[in-house]
Amino acid sequence: MRVMPRPVLAALMACLALAACSLLTPDKVADAKARALYAQISTGADLSRNTDLASNLRAPAAMEQLSALKAALPPGPPSAVATRSWSLKAGMGGSRAVLVHAYSYPGQTVLVQTVLTREKDGAWQVNGFHLTFDRPSNGPGTGGPARPAKPSEIT
């Protein structure tokens, strides 16, 4: 049996470690598009100019629902944004990414699930946008465990 020289083995291990690190982060383009849509909604931007919205979200009723979400959001910018979870599925016809971001505001957190799809050799398109409002369980005036409000889903 032939044994691999140590320098070759070390180089191979380093390559595998680097590859594993890149698998532990969401797709950068999908993540940026998800965050950008929330920013546009929270600032009241004209969503009809957003070319990242899939056809189902470009329908007049969906555009109206997306625009109306601004009124439900806490005022001002969030104090922090964190990626809570993400998944990526790839197949013969394309890919699907689901990203969940937590936007922290004083007294509550807005959880946003953004669904994006990409046809083979295409760009990411936003196909779904879901909001849930959550209050911290240990915050003042909560009166008990956190209970999320009814989610707003637009797909």
Side-chain angles (χ1 to χ4, degrees):
M1 178 158 74
R2 193 169 187 200
V3 178
M4 210 180 291
R6 286 186 187 211
V8 173
L9 183 60
L12 180 61
M13 295 294 282
C15 289
L16 289 173
L18 286 173
C21 288
S22 69
L23 294 175
L24 299 177
T25 59
D27 182 278
K28 287 180 173 49
V29 175
D31 187 60
K33 288 185 178 197
R35 290 173 186 249
L37 179 58
Y38 182 84
Q40 291 169 342
I41 290 170
S42 68
T43 59
D46 181 7
L47 296 175
S48 68
R49 297 175 187 240
N50 186 333
T51 58
D52 295 328
L53 297 177
S55 60
N56 63 317
L57 294 182
R58 291 185 159 285
M63 293 290 274
E64 190 175 308
Q65 288 178 320
L66 285 171
S67 296
L69 290 176
K70 181 187 183 326
L73 296 175
S79 58
V81 181
T83 302
R84 286 272 179 99
S85 66
W86 61 272
S87 67
L88 179 63
K89 295 180 182 176
M92 297 294 286
S95 303
R96 176 186 167 153
V98 179
L99 297 117
V100 177
H101 293 100
Y103 295 84
S104 299
Y105 292 89
Q108 72 178 346
T109 299
V110 179
L111 298 175
V112 179
Q113 180 187 57
T114 310
V115 180
L116 301 101
T117 56
R118 176 176 62 187
E119 292 182 12
K120 193 174 180 179
D121 300 328
W124 285 109
Q125 294 278 292
V126 178
N127 272 310
F129 190 80
H130 314 278
L131 290 181
T132 303
F133 300 90
D134 196 11
R135 293 189 181 278
S137 60
N138 59 356
T142 59
R147 277 188 237 128
K150 181 180 177 186
S152 298
E153 298 185 5
I154 302 168
T155 53

